[in-house]
Amino acid sequence: MKQLLLVEDNDMIVKGLSYALRQEQFQVHVCNTAREAENLAGSVVFDIAILDIGLPDGSGYDICRYLKSIDSELPVIFLTAKDEETDVVTGFDAGADDYVIKPFRNRELLSRINNALRRYKKGGSMLTSGALSFDPDQGIVYRDGVEVPLTALEFRIVSYLFQNQGRTVSREQILSRIWDISGNFVNDNTLTVSIKRIREKLGPESVITVKGLGYRIEKGGTSK
Ligand code: CA
């Protein structure tokens, strides 16, 4: 499931759009203010962001710059009633990938979202860590060049750690990103067991425990 950040202070739009996006299998994280969005960006890794520009406590332009400073590969689409050329230009200057003017049609926005996601997917390349390589496009983990079968849950954890390669992520961050086969968030104990299984499959050094902070997959290495 793709993690989508929707920053919008109009409840009507939030309701309609969240519903449409959930139907399309997006996990929608709604924020009504700029502050909420910036806080959430610290704990969730998004796949795409949809931003209103006029917010009660700030502007979507600033959120866009902030999100891009954390993750320059994050696709951002502005959704706004501001249709002046200068607004559009400011939006693209802030790093936006697309700009949709209200009122909008859900289907059109959805297809623009999918386009933006596709654009970023290209150029996705193999990530390596020690003897491991991870192909984000194919969703495959290799150990010494051999594909390692992982359960869906193990894969989500490994994939999240690779997305944050070289950075330590907390157990809470991981827990906020993973769910079991029936779509429920998993508990602490399940995470512990999964990490143990991942190490059995990928090697004891694959996932490093950072005491009191969380877990990390190291960058680079000598993968074949
Ligand atoms: Ca607004």
Side-chain angles (χ1 to χ4, degrees), residues 108-169:
E108 183 191 337
L109 179 61
L110 284 168
S111 91
R112 284 171 183 272
I113 289 171
N114 287 324
N115 273 340
L117 287 168
R118 263 200 301 278
R119 271 202 300 279
Y120 277 90
K121 217 175 163 196
K122 279 187 211 149
S125 54
M126 205 80 120
L127 301 170
T128 59
S129 172
L132 303 179
S133 19
F134 174 66
D135 182 338
D137 291 344
Q138 303 293 323
I140 298 175
V141 180
Y142 300 90
R143 181 180 182 182
D144 289 324
V146 180
E147 181 177 344
V148 183
L150 297 175
T151 66
L153 186 57
E154 291 161 2
F155 177 77
R156 288 209 65 88
I157 297 170
V158 170
S159 156
Y160 181 66
L161 287 166
F162 262 111
Q163 281 169 35
N164 291 282
Q165 208 181 359
R167 277 191 280 173
T168 302
V169 294

Coordinates of all heavy atoms in Angstrom, one line a residue, residues 108-169:
E108 N -9.2 12.5 -12.6 CA -8.0 13.2 -13.2 C -6.9 13.3 -12.2 O -5.7 13.0 -12.5 CB -8.4 14.6 -13.7 CG -7.2 15.3 -14.4 CD -7.4 16.7 -14.7 OE1 -8.6 17.2 -14.7 OE2 -6.4 17.4 -14.8
L109 N -7.2 13.6 -11.0 CA -6.2 13.7 -10.0 C -5.5 12.3 -9.8 O -4.3 12.2 -9.7 CB -6.7 14.2 -8.7 CG -5.7 14.4 -7.5 CD1 -4.6 15.3 -7.9 CD2 -6.4 14.8 -6.2
L110 N -6.3 11.3 -9.7 CA -5.8 9.9 -9.5 C -4.8 9.6 -10.6 O -3.7 9.0 -10.4 CB -6.9 8.9 -9.5 CG -7.7 8.9 -8.2 CD1 -8.9 8.0 -8.3 CD2 -6.8 8.3 -7.0
S111 N -5.2 10.0 -11.9 CA -4.2 9.6 -12.9 C -3.0 10.4 -12.9 O -1.9 9.9 -13.2 CB -4.9 9.6 -14.3 OG -4.8 10.8 -14.9
R112 N -3.1 11.6 -12.4 CA -1.9 12.4 -12.2 C -1.0 11.9 -11.1 O 0.2 11.9 -11.2 CB -2.2 13.9 -11.9 CG -2.7 14.6 -13.2 CD -3.2 16.0 -12.8 NE -3.7 16.7 -14.0 CZ -2.9 17.5 -14.8 NH1 -1.7 17.6 -14.5 NH2 -3.5 18.1 -15.8
I113 N -1.6 11.4 -10.1 CA -0.9 10.8 -9.0 C -0.1 9.5 -9.5 O 1.1 9.4 -9.2 CB -1.9 10.3 -7.8 CG1 -2.4 11.6 -7.1 CG2 -1.2 9.4 -6.8 CD1 -3.5 11.3 -6.1
N114 N -0.8 8.7 -10.2 CA -0.2 7.5 -10.8 C 1.0 7.9 -11.7 O 2.0 7.2 -11.7 CB -1.2 6.6 -11.4 CG -2.0 5.9 -10.4 OD1 -1.5 5.6 -9.3 ND2 -3.3 5.7 -10.6
N115 N 0.8 8.9 -12.5 CA 1.9 9.4 -13.4 C 3.1 9.8 -12.6 O 4.2 9.4 -12.9 CB 1.4 10.6 -14.2 CG 0.7 10.2 -15.5 OD1 0.9 9.0 -15.9 ND2 -0.1 11.0 -16.0
A116 N 2.8 10.6 -11.6 CA 4.0 11.1 -10.8 C 4.7 9.9 -10.1 O 5.9 9.9 -10.1 CB 3.4 12.0 -9.7
L117 N 3.9 8.9 -9.6 CA 4.6 7.8 -9.0 C 5.4 7.0 -10.0 O 6.5 6.5 -9.7 CB 3.5 6.8 -8.4 CG 2.9 7.4 -7.1 CD1 1.7 6.5 -6.7 CD2 3.9 7.4 -5.9
R118 N 4.9 6.9 -11.2 CA 5.6 6.1 -12.3 C 6.9 6.8 -12.6 O 7.9 6.2 -12.8 CB 4.8 6.0 -13.5 CG 4.0 4.7 -13.6 CD 3.6 4.4 -15.1 NE 2.7 5.5 -15.6 CZ 1.4 5.5 -15.3 NH1 0.9 4.6 -14.6 NH2 0.7 6.5 -15.8
R119 N 6.8 8.2 -12.7 CA 8.0 8.9 -13.1 C 9.2 8.7 -12.1 O 10.3 8.5 -12.5 CB 7.8 10.4 -13.2 CG 7.3 10.9 -14.5 CD 7.5 12.4 -14.6 NE 6.8 13.2 -13.6 CZ 5.5 13.5 -13.7 NH1 4.8 13.1 -14.7 NH2 5.0 14.2 -12.7
Y120 N 8.8 8.6 -10.9 CA 9.9 8.4 -9.9 C 10.4 7.0 -9.8 O 11.5 6.7 -9.3 CB 9.4 8.9 -8.5 CG 9.6 10.4 -8.3 CD1 8.6 11.2 -8.7 CD2 10.8 10.9 -7.9 CE1 8.7 12.6 -8.6 CE2 10.9 12.3 -7.8 CZ 9.9 13.1 -8.1 OH 10.1 14.5 -8.0
K121 N 9.5 6.1 -10.2 CA 9.9 4.7 -10.1 C 11.0 4.4 -11.1 O 11.9 3.6 -10.8 CB 8.7 3.8 -10.4 CG 8.6 2.6 -9.6 CD 7.4 1.8 -9.8 CE 7.6 0.4 -9.3 NZ 6.6 -0.5 -9.8
K122 N 10.9 5.0 -12.3 CA 12.0 4.8 -13.2 C 13.3 5.3 -12.6 O 13.3 6.1 -11.7 CB 11.8 5.7 -14.5 CG 10.8 5.1 -15.4 CD 10.8 5.9 -16.7 CE 9.4 5.8 -17.3 NZ 9.0 7.0 -18.0
G123 N 14.4 4.8 -13.0 CA 15.7 5.2 -12.4 C 15.9 4.6 -11.1 O 16.9 4.8 -10.4
G124 N 14.9 3.9 -10.6 CA 15.0 3.2 -9.3 C 16.1 2.2 -9.5 O 16.1 1.5 -10.5
S125 N 17.1 2.1 -8.6 CA 18.2 1.2 -8.9 C 18.4 0.3 -7.7 O 17.8 0.5 -6.6 CB 19.4 1.9 -9.3 OG 19.7 2.8 -8.3
M126 N 19.2 -0.7 -7.9 CA 19.5 -1.6 -6.8 C 20.2 -1.0 -5.7 O 21.2 -0.2 -5.8 CB 20.4 -2.7 -7.5 CG 20.4 -4.0 -6.8 SD 18.9 -4.9 -7.4 CE 19.7 -6.3 -8.1
L127 N 19.8 -1.3 -4.5 CA 20.5 -0.8 -3.3 C 21.2 -2.0 -2.7 O 20.8 -3.1 -2.7 CB 19.4 -0.3 -2.2 CG 18.5 0.8 -2.7 CD1 17.4 1.0 -1.7 CD2 19.3 2.1 -2.9
T128 N 22.4 -1.7 -2.2 CA 23.2 -2.8 -1.6 C 23.6 -2.5 -0.2 O 23.8 -1.3 0.2 CB 24.5 -3.0 -2.4 OG1 25.3 -1.8 -2.4 CG2 24.2 -3.4 -3.8
S129 N 23.8 -3.5 0.6 CA 24.3 -3.4 1.9 C 25.0 -4.8 2.2 O 24.4 -5.8 2.4 CB 23.1 -3.2 2.9 OG 23.6 -3.3 4.2
G130 N 26.3 -4.7 2.3 CA 27.1 -5.9 2.6 C 26.8 -6.9 1.5 O 26.9 -6.6 0.3
A131 N 26.4 -8.1 1.9 CA 26.1 -9.2 0.9 C 24.7 -9.1 0.3 O 24.3 -9.9 -0.5 CB 26.3 -10.6 1.6
L132 N 24.0 -8.1 0.8 CA 22.6 -8.0 0.3 C 22.4 -7.0 -0.8 O 23.1 -5.9 -0.8 CB 21.7 -7.5 1.5 CG 21.7 -8.3 2.8 CD1 20.8 -7.6 3.8 CD2 21.3 -9.7 2.5
S133 N 21.5 -7.3 -1.7 CA 21.0 -6.2 -2.6 C 19.5 -6.3 -2.6 O 18.8 -7.3 -2.4 CB 21.6 -6.4 -4.0 OG 22.0 -7.6 -4.2
F134 N 18.9 -5.1 -2.9 CA 17.5 -4.9 -2.8 C 17.0 -4.2 -4.1 O 17.6 -3.1 -4.4 CB 17.1 -4.0 -1.6 CG 15.7 -3.7 -1.5 CD1 14.7 -4.6 -1.3 CD2 15.3 -2.3 -1.6 CE1 13.4 -4.3 -1.2 CE2 14.0 -2.0 -1.5 CZ 13.0 -3.0 -1.3
D135 N 16.1 -4.8 -4.8 CA 15.6 -4.2 -6.0 C 14.2 -3.7 -5.7 O 13.2 -4.5 -5.6 CB 15.5 -5.3 -7.1 CG 15.0 -4.8 -8.4 OD1 14.4 -3.7 -8.4 OD2 15.3 -5.4 -9.4
P136 N 14.1 -2.4 -5.5 CA 12.8 -1.8 -5.1 C 11.7 -2.0 -6.2 O 10.5 -2.1 -5.8 CB 13.1 -0.4 -4.8 CG 14.4 -0.1 -5.3 CD 15.1 -1.4 -5.6
D137 N 12.1 -2.0 -7.4 CA 11.1 -2.1 -8.5 C 10.5 -3.5 -8.5 O 9.3 -3.7 -8.7 CB 11.7 -1.8 -9.9 CG 12.1 -0.3 -10.0 OD1 11.5 0.5 -9.1 OD2 12.8 0.1 -10.8
Q138 N 11.3 -4.5 -8.4 CA 10.9 -5.9 -8.5 C 10.4 -6.4 -7.1 O 9.7 -7.4 -7.1 CB 12.0 -6.8 -9.0 CG 12.6 -6.4 -10.3 CD 11.5 -6.6 -11.5 OE1 10.8 -7.5 -11.4 NE2 11.5 -5.7 -12.4
G139 N 10.8 -5.7 -6.1 CA 10.5 -6.1 -4.7 C 11.2 -7.4 -4.4 O 10.6 -8.3 -3.8
I140 N 12.5 -7.5 -4.7 CA 13.2 -8.7 -4.4 C 14.5 -8.4 -3.6 O 15.1 -7.4 -3.8 CB 13.7 -9.4 -5.7 CG1 12.4 -9.8 -6.5 CG2 14.5 -10.7 -5.4 CD1 12.7 -10.4 -7.9
V141 N 14.7 -9.2 -2.6 CA 16.0 -9.1 -1.8 C 16.9 -10.3 -2.2 O 16.5 -11.4 -2.2 CB 15.7 -9.1 -0.3 CG1 17.0 -9.0 0.5 CG2 14.7 -8.0 0.1
Y142 N 18.2 -10.0 -2.5 CA 19.1 -11.0 -2.8 C 20.2 -11.0 -1.7 O 20.6 -10.0 -1.2 CB 19.8 -10.7 -4.1 CG 18.9 -10.6 -5.3 CD1 18.3 -9.3 -5.7 CD2 18.7 -11.7 -6.1 CE1 17.5 -9.2 -6.8 CE2 17.8 -11.6 -7.2 CZ 17.2 -10.3 -7.6 OH 16.4 -10.2 -8.6
R143 N 20.6 -12.3 -1.4 CA 21.8 -12.4 -0.5 C 22.9 -13.1 -1.3 O 22.6 -14.2 -1.8 CB 21.4 -13.2 0.7 CG 22.5 -13.4 1.7 CD 22.1 -14.2 2.9 NE 23.1 -14.4 3.9 CZ 23.0 -15.1 5.0 NH1 21.9 -15.7 5.3 NH2 24.0 -15.2 5.8
D144 N 24.0 -12.5 -1.5 CA 25.1 -13.1 -2.3 C 24.5 -13.4 -3.7 O 24.8 -14.4 -4.3 CB 25.7 -14.3 -1.7 CG 26.6 -13.9 -0.5 OD1 27.2 -12.8 -0.5 OD2 26.6 -14.7 0.5
G145 N 23.6 -12.6 -4.2 CA 23.1 -12.7 -5.5 C 22.0 -13.7 -5.6 O 21.4 -13.9 -6.7
V146 N 21.6 -14.4 -4.5 CA 20.5 -15.4 -4.6 C 19.2 -14.8 -4.0 O 19.3 -14.2 -2.9 CB 20.9 -16.6 -3.8 CG1 19.8 -17.7 -3.8 CG2 22.2 -17.2 -4.4
E147 N 18.1 -14.9 -4.7 CA 16.9 -14.3 -4.2 C 16.5 -15.0 -2.8 O 16.5 -16.2 -2.7 CB 15.8 -14.6 -5.2 CG 14.5 -14.0 -4.7 CD 13.3 -14.1 -5.8 OE1 13.6 -14.4 -7.0 OE2 12.2 -13.9 -5.4
V148 N 16.1 -14.2 -1.8 CA 15.7 -14.7 -0.5 C 14.2 -14.5 -0.4 O 13.7 -13.4 -0.5 CB 16.4 -13.9 0.6 CG1 16.0 -14.5 2.0 CG2 17.9 -13.9 0.4
P149 N 13.5 -15.6 -0.2 CA 12.0 -15.5 0.0 C 11.7 -14.9 1.3 O 12.2 -15.4 2.3 CB 11.5 -17.0 -0.2 CG 12.7 -17.9 -0.2 CD 14.0 -17.0 -0.1
L150 N 10.9 -13.9 1.3 CA 10.5 -13.2 2.6 C 9.0 -13.2 2.6 O 8.3 -13.2 1.6 CB 11.0 -11.8 2.6 CG 12.5 -11.5 2.6 CD1 12.7 -10.0 2.6 CD2 13.1 -12.1 3.9
T151 N 8.4 -13.3 3.8 CA 7.0 -13.1 3.9 C 6.7 -11.6 3.6 O 7.5 -10.8 3.6 CB 6.5 -13.4 5.4 OG1 7.0 -12.5 6.2 CG2 6.9 -14.8 5.8
A152 N 5.4 -11.4 3.4 CA 5.0 -10.0 3.1 C 5.4 -9.0 4.2 O 5.9 -7.9 3.9 CB 3.5 -9.9 2.8
L153 N 5.2 -9.5 5.4 CA 5.5 -8.6 6.5 C 7.0 -8.4 6.6 O 7.5 -7.2 6.8 CB 5.0 -9.3 7.8 CG 5.1 -8.5 9.1 CD1 4.4 -7.1 9.0 CD2 4.5 -9.2 10.3
E154 N 7.8 -9.4 6.5 CA 9.3 -9.3 6.5 C 9.7 -8.4 5.4 O 10.6 -7.5 5.6 CB 10.0 -10.7 6.4 CG 9.8 -11.6 7.6 CD 10.0 -13.0 7.2 OE1 10.4 -13.4 6.1 OE2 9.9 -13.9 8.1
F155 N 9.1 -8.5 4.2 CA 9.5 -7.7 3.1 C 9.2 -6.2 3.4 O 10.0 -5.4 3.1 CB 8.8 -8.1 1.8 CG 9.1 -7.2 0.7 CD1 10.3 -7.4 0.0 CD2 8.2 -6.2 0.3 CE1 10.7 -6.5 -1.0 CE2 8.6 -5.4 -0.7 CZ 9.8 -5.5 -1.4
R156 N 8.1 -5.9 4.0 CA 7.8 -4.5 4.3 C 8.8 -3.9 5.2 O 9.2 -2.7 5.1 CB 6.4 -4.4 4.9 CG 5.2 -4.6 3.9 CD 4.0 -3.8 4.3 NE 4.2 -2.4 4.2 CZ 4.0 -1.7 3.1 NH1 3.6 -2.3 2.0 NH2 4.2 -0.4 3.1
I157 N 9.2 -4.7 6.2 CA 10.2 -4.2 7.2 C 11.5 -3.9 6.5 O 12.1 -2.9 6.6 CB 10.4 -5.2 8.3 CG1 9.0 -5.3 9.1 CG2 11.5 -4.7 9.3 CD1 9.0 -6.4 10.1
V158 N 12.0 -4.9 5.7 CA 13.3 -4.8 5.0 C 13.2 -3.6 4.0 O 14.1 -2.8 3.9 CB 13.6 -6.1 4.3 CG1 14.8 -5.9 3.3 CG2 13.9 -7.2 5.3
S159 N 12.1 -3.5 3.3 CA 11.9 -2.5 2.3 C 12.0 -1.1 3.0 O 12.6 -0.2 2.5 CB 10.6 -2.8 1.6 OG 10.1 -1.6 1.0
Y160 N 11.3 -1.0 4.1 CA 11.3 0.3 4.9 C 12.8 0.6 5.3 O 13.2 1.8 5.3 CB 10.4 0.2 6.0 CG 10.3 1.5 6.8 CD1 9.8 2.7 6.2 CD2 10.7 1.6 8.1 CE1 9.7 3.8 7.0 CE2 10.7 2.7 8.9 CZ 10.2 3.9 8.3 OH 10.1 5.0 9.0
L161 N 13.5 -0.4 5.8 CA 14.8 -0.1 6.3 C 15.7 0.3 5.1 O 16.6 1.1 5.3 CB 15.4 -1.4 7.0 CG 14.8 -1.7 8.4 CD1 15.1 -3.1 8.9 CD2 15.3 -0.6 9.4
F162 N 15.5 -0.4 4.0 CA 16.3 0.0 2.8 C 16.0 1.4 2.3 O 16.9 2.2 1.9 CB 16.2 -1.0 1.7 CG 17.3 -2.0 1.6 CD1 17.0 -3.3 1.9 CD2 18.6 -1.7 1.2 CE1 18.0 -4.3 1.9 CE2 19.6 -2.6 1.2 CZ 19.3 -3.9 1.5
Q163 N 14.7 1.8 2.4 CA 14.4 3.2 2.0 C 15.1 4.2 2.9 O 15.3 5.3 2.5 CB 12.9 3.4 2.2 CG 12.0 2.8 1.1 CD 10.5 2.8 1.5 OE1 10.1 3.8 2.2 NE2 9.8 1.8 1.1
N164 N 15.4 3.8 4.1 CA 16.1 4.7 5.0 C 17.5 4.3 5.3 O 18.1 4.5 6.3 CB 15.3 4.7 6.4 CG 14.0 5.4 6.3 OD1 13.9 6.6 6.2 ND2 12.9 4.6 6.1
Q165 N 18.1 3.6 4.3 CA 19.4 3.0 4.4 C 20.4 4.0 5.0 O 20.5 5.2 4.6 CB 19.9 2.6 3.0 CG 20.8 1.4 3.1 CD 21.3 1.0 1.7 OE1 20.9 1.7 0.7 NE2 22.1 0.1 1.6
G166 N 21.2 3.5 6.0 CA 22.2 4.3 6.6 C 21.6 5.2 7.7 O 22.4 5.8 8.5
R167 N 20.3 5.2 7.9 CA 19.7 6.0 9.0 C 19.0 5.0 9.9 O 18.6 3.9 9.5 CB 18.5 6.8 8.4 CG 19.0 8.2 7.9 CD 17.8 9.1 7.6 NE 17.2 8.7 6.3 CZ 16.0 9.2 5.9 NH1 15.4 10.1 6.7 NH2 15.5 8.9 4.7
T168 N 19.0 5.3 11.2 CA 18.4 4.5 12.2 C 16.9 4.8 12.2 O 16.5 6.0 12.3 CB 19.0 4.7 13.6 OG1 20.4 4.4 13.5 CG2 18.4 3.8 14.6
V169 N 16.1 3.8 12.2 CA 14.6 4.1 12.3 C 14.1 3.4 13.6 O 14.6 2.3 14.0 CB 13.8 3.6 11.1 CG1 14.1 4.3 9.9 CG2 14.0 2.1 10.9

